[in-house]
């Protein structure tokens, strides 16, 4: 999603939320060009919740599993 801000500048979701200060956080890792191979779910109180994601950096590459503490965002 993109929009034009009050200054007439084009803003995407990435530029709006992933500011330089946010990207410096020790508890955040942004992986680009990754291929999600599986999303793992657990059911709590009858509602499924994504708890971890398997991904690789390309076909034939090693698969990594990352566990989420709060949320899983896949774009």
């Amino acid at each position: 999603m993109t929009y034009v801000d009050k200054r007439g500048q084009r803003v995407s979701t990435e530029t709006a939320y992933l500011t330089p200060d946010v990207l410096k956080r020790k508890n955040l890792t942004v992986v680009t060009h990754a291929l999600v191979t599986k999303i793992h779910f657990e059911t709590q109180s009858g509602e499924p919740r994504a708890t971890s994601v398997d991904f690789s950096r390309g076909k034939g590459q090693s698969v990594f599993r990352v566990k989420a503490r709060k949320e899983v965002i896949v774009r």
Side-chain angles (χ1 to χ4, degrees):
M1 181 172 135
T2 61
Y3 65 94
V4 177
D5 68 8
K6 294 177 185 177
R7 297 172 299 186
Q9 303 238 343
R10 182 175 177 258
V11 179
S12 69
T13 305
E14 176 185 357
T15 58
Y17 292 103
L18 296 178
T19 63
D21 287 338
V22 170
L23 292 171
K24 289 180 189 175
R25 292 181 185 172
K26 292 180 181 179
N27 66 341
L28 174 68
T29 303
V30 177
V31 178
T32 59
H33 306 294
L35 173 65
V36 173
T37 56
K38 187 171 186 175
I39 301 174
H40 299 268
F41 291 89
E42 290 180 7
T43 302
Q44 297 175 354
S45 303
E47 290 291 321
R49 180 177 182 264
T51 56
S52 62
V53 176
D54 291 352
F55 74 93
S56 70
R57 295 198 180 236
K59 191 173 182 179
Q61 299 292 320
S62 298
V63 175
F64 300 93
R65 179 172 294 171
V66 261
K67 192 166 176 80
R69 289 187 189 131
K70 289 191 176 185
E71 57 191 350
V72 172
I73 302 170
V74 180
R75 179 177 172 237

